[in-house]
Amino acid sequence: MDKFSPVGEKEITRAIVSEFTTEFNEYVESDCIIVGGGPSGLVAGRDIARAGKKVVIIERNNYLGGGFWSGGYLMPKVTVRHPGEKLLDELNVPYKVVSEGLAVCDAPYACASLIAAACAAGVRVFNMTMLEDLVVKEGKVCGAVINWSPVASLPRQVAALDPVAIEAPVLIDATGHDASVVKKLEQRGLIKIKGEGALWIEKSEDLIVENTGECFPGLIVTGMAVGAVYGLPRMGPTFGSMFLSGEAAARVVLEKLK
Ligand code: 48F
């Protein structure tokens, strides 16, 4: 049996620190910052990176995928209404067509495949990183104020640790139902969030894709955050529009970066 190389603690620590800081330094300025690594953010990131742009996802958890790991009701089966299965085909994720226009697949298989596709395309990820605020200059969003998630959630009197900021000419709010990025603008009276409507699957998916786009100069909204911002009906445990909305967000970003 092969023996492990005689590498010890200091080499391992240096490898982590130097690789991370080199990459962080490089991505302090990027073409696009995506906040939220759920299905819509991952699809958007994959397409933007594939176009050769520098894109970073900031994610408050230590894992990507958001609500994509489970289908609904603690059951890891993802439903996708037509034409959303196109993405499953691209990712080579097996699925079953259970009725006309409705496909079902395994959530962990689909989620892991999408994460792998985004990483393979060149998306960088800062995990355990929370968006605390936005950089807004001359009426345009142009950066994200970030902190480590555990620090950001501590009370101010315990950890008055200043965050840092990273810059990009365009940001995406892919934070799901919370619309956490747009909320930062609302707190300053710069935009009004309507809040998600009641569940209506047949209506919501098309509306989410149609309304995906720039909601404030420099800020694109995608995925369930679109529903929250524009008061669209919730769509429940189905994911096709998350994929198509992510693709639509990427197209808007690439057009703006031209
Ligand atoms: O919630 P999430 O999966 O958003 P999505 O891409 O997809 C929604 C579906 O998963 C599901 C649904 C469709 O059936 O209704 O809910 O719209 O992923 C959002 C990600 O954003 C992260 C959060 O941890 C999650 O991984 N996030 C939210 N707020 C912040 C954040 C923040 N302030 N900073 C960093 N990450």
Side-chain angles (χ1 to χ4, degrees):
M1 210 175 87
D2 274 355
K3 288 257 189 232
F4 282 105
S5 60
V7 170
E9 290 79 6
K10 59 181 182 306
E11 288 85 4
I12 287 172
T13 302
R14 279 189 189 123
I16 294 170
V17 174
S18 65
E19 285 306 302
F20 176 77
T21 48
T22 303
E23 189 168 286
F24 189 83
N25 200 20
E26 196 188 327
Y27 279 78
V28 161
E29 189 182 10
S30 54
D31 294 317
C32 179
I33 299 166
I34 300 177
V35 186
S40 63
L42 287 166
V43 170
R46 180 197 68 158
D47 288 3
I48 296 165
R50 271 187 181 168
K53 303 295 178 192
K54 210 168 145 186
V55 54
V56 62
I57 291 183
I58 63 174
E59 168 54 57
R60 68 182 171 192
N61 289 321
N62 66 349
Y63 57 90
L64 293 169
F68 200 27
W69 286 108
S70 53
Y73 199 59
L74 285 183
M75 298 186 189
K77 292 289 176 191
V78 157
T79 67
V80 177
R81 297 163 74 227
H82 179 73
E85 78 284 358
K86 184 177 62 83
L87 183 91
L88 301 178
D89 288 330
E90 278 174 36
L91 297 173
N92 281 319
V93 173
Y95 58 85
K96 192 162 141 189
V97 177
V98 289
S99 64
E100 203 186 326
L102 183 62
V104 182
C105 65
D106 284 335
Y109 199 142
C111 191
S113 304
L114 178 55
I115 294 169
C119 293
V123 173
R124 289 291 179 276
V125 179
F126 297 154
N127 64 359
M128 295 301 285
T129 299
M130 183 100 169
L131 177 101
E132 273 206 2
D133 207 345
L134 289 168
V135 182
V136 182
K137 292 185 187 169
E138 291 164 355
K140 188 180 172 305
V141 174
C142 51
V145 181
I146 56 171
N147 217 331
W148 303 113
S149 305
V151 173
S153 46
L154 283 169
R156 277 266 163 234
Q157 60 271 33
V158 178
L161 286 180
D162 266 330
V164 292
I166 56 177
E167 292 184 31
V170 58
L171 275 75
I172 298 181
D173 185 343
T175 60
H177 301 267
D178 295 345
S180 318
V181 186
V182 182
K183 232 170 233 166
K184 299 295 170 194
L185 295 175
E186 188 180 46
Q187 284 162 5
R188 298 202 156 73
L190 295 170
I191 201 169
K192 181 90 192 90
I193 295 177
K194 290 201 173 148
E196 218 166 45
L199 196 93
W200 190 355
I201 290 182
E202 297 91 320
K203 266 252 185 264
S204 62
E205 290 215 276
D206 288 315
L207 285 171
I208 282 173
V209 179
E210 280 164 28
N211 284 277
T212 298
E214 193 169 30
C215 64
F216 189 86
L219 181 61
I220 313 303
V221 62
T222 186
M224 284 317 297
V226 178
V229 171
Y230 297 110
L232 309 179
R234 289 187 67 172
M235 79 204 179
T238 193
F239 285 80
S241 55
M242 297 301 95
F243 309 155
L244 269 61
S245 173
E247 288 175 357
R251 284 195 295 275
V252 177
V253 167
L254 292 173
E255 190 56 39
K256 284 183 74 68
L257 291 176
K258 264 184 188 166

